[in-house]
C-alpha cells in the first residue's frame, strides 16, 4: 500500500539568524499555502530566538542530488591533495578561529 | 469606589479576558486539525495566559492584600470573574474558535493601541509589550477567516454559523461602564467608543472578503460579563482550570 502523506503540502523552512548572514535550513512544515506556511514556520522555528529573516519554499521546488550521483558529485579528488585546505601549512600566528 | 479599587477592577476585567480565552485555546492542545495548527493555537493560548499574568500581577499589587496572580486566577469563583462573555464561549469547532478569536483579536489590537497611551505607566508598558503578540494573533485569525469563509461550501457555512452565533456577544466589548468612564477621565482607561468604529470597519472588511454575510443588525445583544453574570459555560471552564490548585493548595512541582 502506498504510504501517502495525507497532510497539507510540505514547505522547507530556512532562517537567517542575523541580517547579512546566510539562510540556514532548519526543517519543514505542512501548510495549505504560502502565507500559512510562513505563519506555521514562525510558530515552530521562530518562537524561541530572535531571527532576522525567514524563507519558506515548497519542498517540491527543491532539486536534490540523488544517491547514485554521490560518487561523481561528492567524492573528493583524493589524488589531488593540494585541493584540500589542510594540505597547506599554516604559518604560526595565523588564527584558525575564523567564523 | 476609591481610585485603586477602580483600577483593581479594571485590571481584573483585562486579566480575566485573557486567562479565560487562554484556557479555551489550551483546550485545543493535542486536538488541533493538524499538528502545525495545534501548535499555533497552543502558542496563542500561552501568549494570552502570559498577558493575563501581567494584568493580574499588577492587580495584586494594586489591591495590596497579599493575593498574588495565582490566587486571583485560581481562587475566585465564577461570579467574581469579570471577563467578556465572548471569550468563555466553547470551542465548538475550528470555525467557531477562529471566529471568536478574530472578534477578540481585532478588539485587543485596537485596545492595546489606545492603552499604550494610558497615563498609567504600567498599563502603557503592558500594552506596548503585548501588542506585538496581538498583531500576530490577528494575522493568524484573519487569514483563517478568509480561508474558511472563502473555502468550501461546508467551511463557509460553518464559519457563517459561528459568526451569527457569536454576534450577540460583541456589543458588550464596547460598553462604557461607569468604571470605564471614571478611569478614562484620568487618562487611564481606553475609550471604547473610540475603538468601536475601527473594530466595525475591520470586521466588515474581513467578513466581506471572506464572503460571510454581516449578522442581522437587530440581533439581541447579551451582556453581563463585566458584572460577573456569565453564560453557563464559564463555571465549567473554571472548574477544570481550578481543580488542581484547589485540590492541592500550594502544590509545587
Amino acid at each position: 500500500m502506498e504510504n501517502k502523506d495525507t497532510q497539507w503540502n510540505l514547505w522547507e523552512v530556512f532562517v537567517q539568524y542575523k541580517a547579512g548572514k546566510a539562510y540556514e535550513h532548519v526543517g519543514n512544515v505542512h501548510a495549505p499555502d504560502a502565507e500559512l506556511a510562513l505563519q506555521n514556520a514562525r510558530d515552530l522555528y521562530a518562537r524561541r530566538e530572535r531571527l532576522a529573516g525567514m524563507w519558506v519554499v515548497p519542498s517540491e521546488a527543491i532539486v536534490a542530488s540523488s544517491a547514485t550521483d554521490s560518487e561523481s558529485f561528492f567524492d573528493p579528488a583524493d589524488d589531488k591533495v593540494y585541493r584540500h585546505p589542510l594540505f597547506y601549512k599554516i604559518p604560526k600566528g595565523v588564527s584558525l578561529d575564523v567564523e | 469606589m476609591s481610585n485603586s479599587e477602580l483600577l483593581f477592577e479594571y485590571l481584573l476585567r483585562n486579566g480575566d479576558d485573557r486567562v479565560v480565552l487562554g484556557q479555551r485555546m489550551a483546550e485545543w492542545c493535542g486536538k488541533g486539525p493538524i499538528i502545525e495548527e495545534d501548535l499555533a493555537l497552543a502558542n496563542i493560548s500561552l501568549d494570552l495566559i502570559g498577558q493575563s499574568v501581567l494584568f493580574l500581577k499588577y492587580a495584586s499589587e494594586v489591591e495590596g492584600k497579599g493575593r498574588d496572580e495565582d490566587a486571583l486566577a485560581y481562587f475566585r469563583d465564577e461570579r467574581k470573574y469579570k471577563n467578556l462573555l465572548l471569550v468563555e464561549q466553547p470551542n465548538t469547532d475550528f470555525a467557531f474558535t477562529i471566529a471568536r478569536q478574530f472578534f477578540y483579536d481585532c478588539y485587543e489590537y485596537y485596545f492595546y493601541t489606545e492603552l499604550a497611551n494610558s497615563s498609567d505607566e504600567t498599563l502603557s508598558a503592558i500594552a506596548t509589550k503585548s501588542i506585538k503578540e496581538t498583531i500576530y494573533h490577528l494575522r493568524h485569525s484573519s487569514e483563517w477567516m478568509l480561508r474558511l469563509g472563502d473555502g468550501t461550501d461546508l467551511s463557509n457555512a460553518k464559519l457563517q454559523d459561528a459568526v451569527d452565533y457569536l454576534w450577540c456577544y460583541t456589543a458588550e466589548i464596547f460598553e462604557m461602564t461607569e468604571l470605564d468612564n471614571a478611569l478614562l477621565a484620568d487618562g487611564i482607561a481606553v475609550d471604547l467608543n473610540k475603538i468601536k468604529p475601527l473594530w466595525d470597519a475591520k470586521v466588515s472588511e474581513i467578513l466581506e472578503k471572506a464572503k460571510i454575510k454581516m449578522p442581522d443588525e437587530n440581533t439581541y445583544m447579551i451582556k453581563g460579563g463585566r458584572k460577573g453574570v456569565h453564560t453557563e459555560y464559564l463555571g465549567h471552564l473554571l472548574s477544570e482550570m481550578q481543580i488542581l490548585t484547589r485540590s492541592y493548595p500550594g502544590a509545587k512541582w
Side-chain angles (χ1 to χ4, degrees), chain A residues 23-84:
Chain A
Y23 278 74
E24 292 176 36
H25 183 241
V26 286
N28 49 38
V29 286
H30 290 100
D33 55 53
E35 165 66 23
L36 289 185
L38 209 51
Q39 286 193 19
N40 289 346
R42 177 264 183 198
D43 277 331
L44 211 55
Y45 297 106
R47 210 173 141 85
R48 301 275 174 240
E49 54 198 323
R50 191 174 174 83
L51 299 175
M54 181 171 254
W55 288 346
V56 288
V57 180
S59 299
E60 59 182 23
I62 304 275
V63 181
S65 64
S66 68
T68 52
D69 286 338
S70 164
E71 265 186 31
S72 59
F73 266 47
F74 306 127
D75 259 12
D78 279 337
D79 54 332
K80 301 182 184 97
V81 283
Y82 52 85
R83 287 190 178 175
H84 292 269

Side-chain angles (χ1 to χ4, degrees), chain B residues 2-120:
Chain B
S2 70
N3 274 358
S4 69
E5 283 168 334
L6 289 172
L7 181 57
F8 175 69
E9 185 72 12
Y10 193 65
L11 294 168
L12 280 190
R13 289 180 180 187
N14 282 291
D16 292 350
D17 283 346
R18 287 155 186 84
V19 74
V20 169
L21 189 55
Q23 174 72 13
R24 274 285 180 243
M25 291 303 257
E27 291 171 10
W28 272 106
C29 192
K31 297 175 187 163
I34 196 161
I35 192 165
E36 283 83 352
E37 191 53 36
D38 192 286
L39 206 70
L41 298 173
N43 275 341
I44 292 167
S45 163
L46 284 175
D47 286 346
L48 288 167
I49 291 170
Q51 293 177 18
S52 81
V53 171
L54 301 175
F55 284 105
L56 294 181
K57 227 178 201 154
Y58 186 28
S60 162
E61 279 172 38
V62 169
E63 188 189 39
K65 288 185 185 165
R67 284 201 287 179
D68 67 5
E69 66 274 19
D70 284 339
L72 289 171
Y74 293 118
F75 292 92
R76 271 181 307 138
D77 290 333
E78 184 195 347
R79 290 298 296 268
K80 300 285 185 198
Y81 260 76
K82 301 298 170 62
N83 57 280
L84 297 165
L85 300 179
L86 174 74
V87 299
E88 70 198 39
Q89 298 310 304
N91 289 339
T92 313
D93 60 23
F94 187 63
F96 200 95
T97 299
I98 289 298
R100 183 187 63 204
Q101 195 63 30
F102 171 66
F103 287 156
Y104 178 79
D105 290 341
C106 197
Y107 151 68
E108 196 180 71
Y109 171 71
Y110 294 117
F111 177 78
Y112 280 145
T113 308
E114 285 299 312
L115 192 67
N117 305 319
S118 171
S119 62
D120 183 300

Side-chain angles (χ1 to χ4, degrees), chain B residues 49-252:
Chain B
I49 291 170
Q51 293 177 18
S52 81
V53 171
L54 301 175
F55 284 105
L56 294 181
K57 227 178 201 154
Y58 186 28
S60 162
E61 279 172 38
V62 169
E63 188 189 39
K65 288 185 185 165
R67 284 201 287 179
D68 67 5
E69 66 274 19
D70 284 339
L72 289 171
Y74 293 118
F75 292 92
R76 271 181 307 138
D77 290 333
E78 184 195 347
R79 290 298 296 268
K80 300 285 185 198
Y81 260 76
K82 301 298 170 62
N83 57 280
L84 297 165
L85 300 179
L86 174 74
V87 299
E88 70 198 39
Q89 298 310 304
N91 289 339
T92 313
D93 60 23
F94 187 63
F96 200 95
T97 299
I98 289 298
R100 183 187 63 204
Q101 195 63 30
F102 171 66
F103 287 156
Y104 178 79
D105 290 341
C106 197
Y107 151 68
E108 196 180 71
Y109 171 71
Y110 294 117
F111 177 78
Y112 280 145
T113 308
E114 285 299 312
L115 192 67
N117 305 319
S118 171
S119 62
D120 183 300
E121 282 177 20
T122 310
L123 277 177
S124 157
I126 291 175
T128 308
K129 180 175 154 57
S130 304
I131 196 166
K132 291 180 217 154
E133 294 173 346
T134 306
I135 290 170
Y136 177 70
H137 299 169
L138 180 58
R139 179 168 167 178
H140 172 267
S141 56
S142 307
E143 291 293 340
W144 271 117
M145 289 293 287
L146 302 180
R147 280 161 184 76
L148 294 176
D150 196 8
T152 63
D153 288 347
L154 181 64
S155 69
N156 175 281
K158 283 190 175 228
L159 186 62
Q160 184 72 59
D161 272 355
V163 164
D164 290 342
Y165 182 91
L166 290 168
W167 196 250
C168 66
Y169 300 112
T170 55
E172 180 187 40
I173 302 173
F174 304 101
E175 191 184 23
M176 286 296 282
T177 61
E178 271 178 51
L179 181 147
D180 290 291
N181 286 317
L183 290 174
L184 177 62
D186 293 335
I188 295 172
V190 168
D191 184 356
L192 299 169
N193 290 326
K194 194 168 160 189
I195 63 175
K196 171 90 165 61
L198 302 172
W199 186 91
D200 284 342
K202 179 78 179 170
V203 167
S204 55
E205 178 207 320
I206 296 287
L207 290 189
E208 196 185 330
K209 275 193 198 160
K211 301 186 177 164
I212 293 293
K213 292 190 275 298
M214 278 297 280
D216 186 351
E217 58 183 35
N218 297 316
T219 302
Y220 179 75
M221 292 292 179
I222 302 172
K223 297 171 186 174
R226 298 304 193 205
K227 293 192 189 118
V229 181
H230 292 280
T231 58
E232 65 193 276
Y233 304 111
L234 183 65
H236 295 283
L237 178 146
L238 291 180
S239 64
E240 198 169 299
M241 188 177 96
Q242 296 176 334
I243 187 168
L244 188 78
T245 334
R246 289 193 180 211
S247 306
Y248 303 95
K252 297 231 183 313

